[in-house]
Amino acid sequence: MSTTIGSLSTSTTSNIRGYGGLASGLDRDSLIEGMTYGTTSKITAQQQKKQQLEWKQTAVRSITDMMVKFANKYTSSWGSSTNLFSSVLWGRSNITTTGANSKFVSVSGTASSSNSIQIMGVKQLAKQAQYSSQAGVSTKALETGSIDTSDTTVENLVGKKISVQYGNTSASIILSSTIKNEDGEIEKLSYNSAEEIAKSINKLLAKEELGSGKTFADVIKVSAEGMDADGKGGKITFTNTDNDGNKCQITGGNALSYLGFKEPESSDDEAAIKITKDGVTGDNQVNDLERQVSFAEKIAGKELTFNYNGKAVSIKVPSQAELNKADESGNVNVLENLRSSLQTELNKAFGRDRIEVKLTGDNNDKLSFKTMDPTTGSEDPTSTLTLTTGSADLVGKNGALNIAYGESNRLNLNEVLAESGLSGINLDARGTTIKINGVDIEVTNKDTVYTLMDKINDSDAGVKVSYQQAADKFVFTATDEGASGRIDFSGNTGDSANLLDAIFGAGTSTAEVAKGQDAIVTVKYAGSDEAVTLKRGSNSFELDGLTISVKGEFGYLKDADGNVTDELDPTAEAVGINAQVNTDSIVDAVKTMVEEYNAIIELVNKELTTKPDRDYTPLTSEQKKELSEDEIKLYEEKAKAGLLFGDSDLRTLSTDLRFIISAGYSQALENAGISTSSSYSDGGKLVFDESKFRAALESDPEAVEKLFTDKGSVDERGNTNYGLATTLQNVMDKYAKTMGSWETKGILVRKAGTESSALSLTENFMYKEIAEIDKIITKLQARLESERDRYIKQFTSLETLISQMNSQSNYLSQIGGSY
């Protein structure tokens, strides 16, 4: 069975179960297809109707989405910089100051009253209450502790490696000297006995991730056994503790020989050391765990990183041979050789004579670093030098140089107070309380400079304290502005006073109360002879919608001693404020608005006036199989065209768009450069004359703003006229509003829905029509299935009857043939 659609022919074939025509010779499938053609034709018609409705829905949404985007940009979203109702867009935001004293005042913001304000004078600027240390607070010395140059015992396993594998996951365990524990603290690891080795390796295995929240410590356990009464000797055992059946093995590592194992020649399965449930133990006892090294050997080749006035450079300690080099008298002084080498390298890094390295201490067993002035040869108190980092063998708690990380010729803010570089700090475990603005702040022997500053800043004292590294001073600043702020250290006596002076500088406990002051500014409004004096806690303050910032004093007379009086200087020129709208941003906004509005009109009128070609109906799946993708695309473009031809909703929308300008504002808008096209075929497109619009803005920006934003004013004829932006907003809301209940949404949103309103996608007229069509299709498909079943049964009965008749005929033929 075939039909013709457009210029294409299609067969309404279908798959019918079972087999027919074996006895009768009839083409059962074709016959059933023909007998059910009425139902299949109805299904095809409904499917085509559904497809057309979906295309219509998409076409309506394309218009709706364009209108929603337009509204969000120009009429509804207050966050948009191009919103035509925004005071920011129309406001006089280009503000300048005029007059000889304009350098002392800056103004920003938007205010129509700006031209009516003059700044007559600034008597004084606002100041926050502030106190700073009277002198540098640190010892200004970057110095090591006493350095022990005698031979030391080192553990040979430190820095060695063990490579392990579990399943397909491998890890290289570096036997480090320290590890960070669960509390975030640095913990020392030891390898001087079998028992300590086992403990340390287990801790390191716990740091290696396996995945799924497991670590290598969950599948491998290291233990020690066979030590003597002094804990010496013994053997190391690795045991597989998992239950997953994965291979567990040691694949290599230069630590194995110390642990009594023979290192595998390769990391493949055959060469690796298998770790079993019973454990694998080294053939020999642990050995060669410690050795004696000289001071020179321990520090040779290690690195120190210094930071001088913000420039960081790493310096390498010389070789063991250079450190052990004898002087002219044949004496070897390793510390002197180290000092000399560091001096040479620091000169190269930061310039000659800027840093002086000396041996100090009673036994010349300390290294001291001072910043120097190369011009005078004296100490330079303005420069900072910090030992930021270095090799673990040199710096830190166990470092050979006996100096902490971050040590500086200023305060080390991360160290406890007694070790931070402050002088005279004496704190016991009970701590001492200091007072700031009458608020008690406890200081303990565990406080670092940082934690103490945090305590002060987080308290109710109303101050913020900071450390100025270059000046080596603490600066306190009141958090309250102007005259409200104060800094008062009174009430500190005895230990509290001593501690306050030791930390924040001598004289802090007896310092006068520091008080802030308000800004005093005199302004005058146009039309008034009276000047108004303002007091503000900040040098930047709001005034009639403007932000005024004063930067200097002017406009007041001074007495014979040079002090500012309360009297304005009549000869001083006042600061004027000149505010203009941002013409460029308004012109750009209106210009693009007109372009996008005209694009909406063009799309609406195209959809409304394009006539459909009735020969092009939606393709069926069978038809699509006969065409290429390009052919389908071209065909469907013709089939989609004209689906909204003469649509009643689009017709009323087109009319509303055509008459977007209120009659009462038509001439005024035309004078301002905006008019409706005189060509009827343009459908009400707007014409924008940029030159006229810019001139109108510069002449009277408030009048132009009203032409857009007027919410409704009655003219002399009693007609209510609306600004252009208002009518635009009304039309966009009428057809494309996405907010509110279903009843208040736009006409096109209720008609077809929009992606801008998720709820509307299933709550619109077209969606409901499509749903009804789906119900009809479902019923027709059920009917078709029933019809096919009935005809199949009938044909099966026919085939059975014919088969029986054929059998009887054959039988009778055989009997007749025997006579």
Side-chain angles (χ1 to χ4, degrees):
M1 182 68 63
S2 67
T3 59
T4 301
I5 299 176
S7 58
L8 299 171
S9 102
T10 181
S11 352
T12 55
T13 59
S14 57
N15 295 320
I16 301 174
R17 68 179 185 275
Y19 300 93
L22 295 178
S24 65
L26 298 173
D27 185 352
R28 185 200 67 174
D29 291 355
S30 295
L31 289 170
I32 291 177
E33 187 177 318
M35 288 185 288
T36 58
Y37 175 70
T39 304
T40 55
S41 295
K42 289 178 181 178
I43 292 174
T44 300
Q46 291 297 324
Q47 288 173 335
Q48 290 175 321
K49 183 178 178 182
K50 176 184 175 181
Q51 180 64 83
Q52 282 185 325
L53 196 53
E54 288 175 341
W55 285 343
K56 280 185 179 182
Q57 188 179 50
T58 300
V60 174
R61 285 182 181 178
S62 65
I63 296 172
T64 308
D65 292 343
M66 187 179 286
M67 295 179 74
V68 170
K69 183 179 178 182
F70 181 91
N72 288 338
K73 192 171 181 181
Y74 299 108
T75 64
S76 64
S77 175
W78 290 105
S80 172
S81 62
T82 54
N83 188 299
L84 297 176
F85 294 102
S86 172
S87 59
V88 175
L89 176 67
W90 296 102
R92 293 176 176 264
S93 55
N94 286 347
I95 300 177
T96 57
T97 53
T98 61
N101 294 309
S102 59
K103 61 184 178 182
F104 298 120
V105 180
S106 64
V107 184
S108 61
T110 57
S112 58
S113 61
S114 55
N115 291 334
S116 64
I117 300 174
Q118 286 184 311
I119 310 297
M120 306 302 295
V122 178
K123 181 179 180 181
Q124 71 178 29
L125 296 175
K127 293 180 182 177
Q128 286 180 282
Q130 201 168 66
Y131 171 82
S132 63
S133 307
Q134 297 177 16
V137 295
S138 72
T139 59
K140 293 186 175 61
L142 171 54
E143 189 176 56
T144 69
S146 295
I147 300 172
D148 184 358
T149 58
S150 60
D151 292 349
T152 57
T153 300
V154 298
E155 296 173 341
N156 289 329
L157 276 170
V158 173
K160 300 299 188 293
K161 181 177 74 172
I162 303 173
S163 299
V164 295
Q165 184 173 344
Y166 174 75
N168 294 319
T169 305
S170 302
S172 292
I173 311 299
I174 305 297
L175 305 185
S176 57
S177 60
T178 60
I179 193 172
K180 186 178 288 188
N181 62 25
E182 293 179 353
D183 297 327
E185 299 174 346
I186 301 299
E187 178 182 339
K188 190 176 186 306
L189 298 180
S190 180
Y191 305 93
N192 57 11
S193 71
E195 185 175 8
E196 291 298 324
I197 291 170
K199 289 180 181 177
S200 297
I201 296 177
N202 282 326
K203 289 179 180 178
L204 292 168
L205 287 170
K207 293 292 184 180
E208 296 294 331
E209 300 289 339
L210 265 177
S212 302
K214 295 176 68 175
T215 68
F216 270 89
D218 294 318
V219 297
I220 299 176
K221 181 181 179 181
V222 185
S223 57
E225 56 187 25
M227 287 77 71
D228 60 23
D230 296 327
K232 303 298 183 182
K235 291 187 176 183
I236 297 294
T237 298
F238 290 81
T239 304
N240 181 349
T241 62
D242 91 293
N243 296 313
D244 295 337
N246 287 306
K247 66 180 180 181
C248 191
Q249 52 193 11
I250 302 171
T251 56
N254 56 4
L256 294 181
S257 60
Y258 294 92
L259 304 180
F261 291 88
K262 183 179 180 181
E263 184 176 353
E265 295 179 0
S266 66
S267 60
D268 60 33
D269 286 345
E270 293 183 2
I273 301 170
K274 306 297 187 299
I275 305 176
T276 67
K277 296 288 185 182
D278 298 326
V280 56
T281 306
D283 296 331
N284 303 309
Q285 292 189 334
V286 296
N287 59 87
D288 295 331
L289 299 182
E290 297 179 331
R291 63 189 174 91
Q292 293 293 111
V293 297
S294 67
F295 177 74
E297 183 182 355
K298 185 175 181 178
I299 69 172
K302 303 297 190 300
E303 287 190 348
L304 296 170
T305 300
F306 290 90
N307 187 303
Y308 174 73
N309 290 338
K311 178 183 177 181
V313 174
S314 292
I315 292 173
K316 184 172 286 190
V317 173
S319 66
Q320 186 176 346
E322 291 174 323
L323 289 170
N324 286 323
K325 187 177 181 180
D327 60 16
E328 294 178 353
S329 302
N331 299 319
V332 175
N333 187 332
V334 177
L335 274 184
E336 172 54 30
N337 289 338
L338 174 61
R339 182 210 67 77
S340 177
S341 173
L342 291 176
Q343 182 68 75
T344 300
E345 295 302 316
L346 288 170
N347 285 346
K348 292 179 183 178
F350 304 119
R352 183 177 296 277
D353 300 330
R354 292 192 179 277
I355 298 172
E356 179 184 72
V357 188
K358 281 188 174 183
L359 290 177
T360 58
D362 295 338
N363 299 311
N364 281 337
D365 57 355
K366 297 181 180 181
L367 284 170
S368 173
F369 303 82
K370 280 188 177 181
T371 56
M372 306 295 290
D373 184 337
T375 303
T376 63
S378 58
E379 186 176 358
D380 175 14
T382 67
S383 292
T384 60
L385 179 68
T386 305
L387 178 61
T388 56
T389 188
S391 302
D393 287 339
L394 295 180
V395 185
K397 291 184 178 179
N398 301 307
L401 298 185
N402 194 14
I403 188 170
Y405 292 102
E407 201 63 41
S408 171
N409 67 337
R410 297 292 191 270
L411 295 184
N412 188 339
L413 304 183
N414 292 303
E415 285 291 332
V416 295
L417 295 170
E419 299 175 12
S420 64
L422 292 166
S423 58
I425 298 296
N426 184 18
L427 277 168
D428 58 28
R430 293 172 299 170
T432 302
T433 298
I434 60 175
K435 288 182 180 292
I436 302 176
N437 282 342
V439 176
D440 290 338
I441 296 167
E442 185 182 17
V443 187
T444 72
N445 58 4
K446 292 184 179 180
D447 274 319
T448 66
V449 179
Y450 267 135
T451 62
L452 177 57
M453 288 195 297
D454 286 341
K455 280 183 179 181
I456 295 171
N457 294 340
D458 294 339
S459 73
D460 295 328
V463 298
K464 294 293 182 184
V465 61
S466 60
Y467 175 65
Q468 306 296 323
Q469 188 182 61
D472 192 28
K473 293 182 179 183
F474 285 101
V475 177
F476 290 83
T477 304
T479 56
D480 287 335
E481 292 184 338
S484 297
R486 65 199 307 267
I487 301 172
D488 183 4
F489 297 109
S490 63
N492 289 284
T493 59
D495 290 342
S496 294
N498 293 335
L499 181 60
L500 197 68
D501 289 341
I503 299 174
F504 300 113
T508 300
S509 62
T510 57
E512 293 184 3
V513 177
K515 297 179 181 179
Q517 70 178 29
D518 287 342
I520 301 177
V521 183
T522 299
V523 301
K524 181 184 287 188
Y525 290 89
S528 174
D529 293 331
E530 183 180 355
V532 179
T533 300
L534 309 174
K535 289 188 177 182
R536 298 291 185 267
S538 170
N539 290 317
S540 182
F541 54 89
E542 295 296 317
L543 179 64
D544 294 341
L546 298 171
T547 299
I548 309 291
S549 296
V550 292
K551 298 173 286 185
E553 299 169 354
F554 73 93
Y556 278 84
L557 293 172
K558 294 182 179 180
D559 61 19
D561 297 325
N563 300 314
V564 178
T565 68
D566 294 332
E567 187 177 352
L568 285 170
D569 184 352
T571 64
E573 186 176 350
V575 174
I577 302 174
N578 182 27
Q580 300 292 331
V581 297
N582 191 333
T583 304
D584 289 339
S585 63
I586 298 174
V587 168
D588 289 342
V590 173
K591 183 178 181 180
T592 56
M593 180 276 293
V594 169
E595 292 171 354
E596 292 173 24
Y597 174 78
N598 288 342
I600 293 173
I601 289 180
E602 191 168 323
L603 178 59
V604 171
N605 290 335
K606 176 184 176 183
E607 294 287 358
L608 185 61
T609 58
T610 300
K611 293 182 179 180
D613 188 338
R614 303 301 180 186
D615 290 335
Y616 286 86
T617 56
L619 294 169
T620 66
S621 57
E622 293 297 328
Q623 289 173 323
K624 288 182 178 179
K625 291 178 183 178
E626 301 175 15
L627 302 175
S628 67
E629 288 187 9
D630 288 340
E631 287 173 329
I632 292 172
K633 183 179 178 181
L634 290 172
Y635 183 93
E636 290 190 341
E637 283 179 359
K638 293 181 179 180
K640 291 176 183 179
L643 291 178
L644 297 179
F645 175 73
D647 183 273
S648 59
D649 290 326
L650 291 193
R651 189 180 295 112
T652 57
L653 171 59
S654 177
T655 300
D656 288 341
L657 292 174
R658 182 181 294 276
F659 301 105
I660 200 71
I661 295 179
S662 290
Y665 276 142
S666 176
Q667 188 59 52
L669 278 168
E670 185 175 350
N671 293 339
I674 298 175
S675 59
T676 303
S677 171
S678 59
S679 173
Y680 186 84
S681 61
D682 281 341
K685 287 184 178 180
L686 295 179
V687 178
F688 180 65
D689 187 325
E690 183 176 334
S691 298
K692 290 174 69 175
F693 185 75
R694 190 179 291 273
L697 265 181
E698 292 173 353
S699 173
D700 193 346
E702 284 75 19
V704 176
E705 180 183 0
K706 184 180 179 182
L707 293 177
F708 278 82
T709 61
D710 188 358
K711 292 294 186 180
S713 58
V714 180
D715 60 21
E716 63 276 5
R717 297 179 180 179
N719 298 317
T720 302
N721 297 297
Y722 299 93
L724 178 57
T726 302
T727 55
L728 285 170
Q729 184 183 59
N730 292 339
V731 171
M732 298 304 151
D733 283 352
K734 180 178 178 181
Y735 293 92
K737 185 179 180 183
T738 59
M739 306 299 290
S741 64
W742 187 85
E743 293 79 6
T744 61
K745 285 183 169 64
I747 292 172
L748 299 185
V749 175
R750 297 200 304 272
K751 185 184 187 78
T754 173
E755 295 287 347
S756 300
S757 174
L759 195 60
S760 74
L761 295 175
T762 55
E763 288 189 0
N764 61 78
F765 292 121
M766 287 186 171
Y767 178 87
K768 292 177 181 178
E769 286 186 64
I770 292 170
E772 289 300 318
I773 293 174
D774 282 335
K775 290 179 182 178
I776 294 171
I777 291 173
T778 300
K779 288 180 180 179
L780 288 172
Q781 287 173 335
R783 182 196 296 177
L784 177 63
E785 190 66 25
S786 177
E787 289 176 352
R788 284 174 174 170
D789 287 345
R790 185 172 72 252
Y791 290 137
I792 287 171
K793 289 178 181 178
Q794 291 174 354
F795 271 101
T796 301
S797 297
L798 176 62
E799 289 292 326
T800 301
L801 179 60
I802 293 174
S803 179
Q804 291 174 349
M805 292 175 65
N806 288 338
S807 296
Q808 290 177 359
S809 176
N810 290 335
Y811 175 72
L812 292 174
S813 296
Q814 289 174 2
I815 293 175
S818 62
Y819 288 102

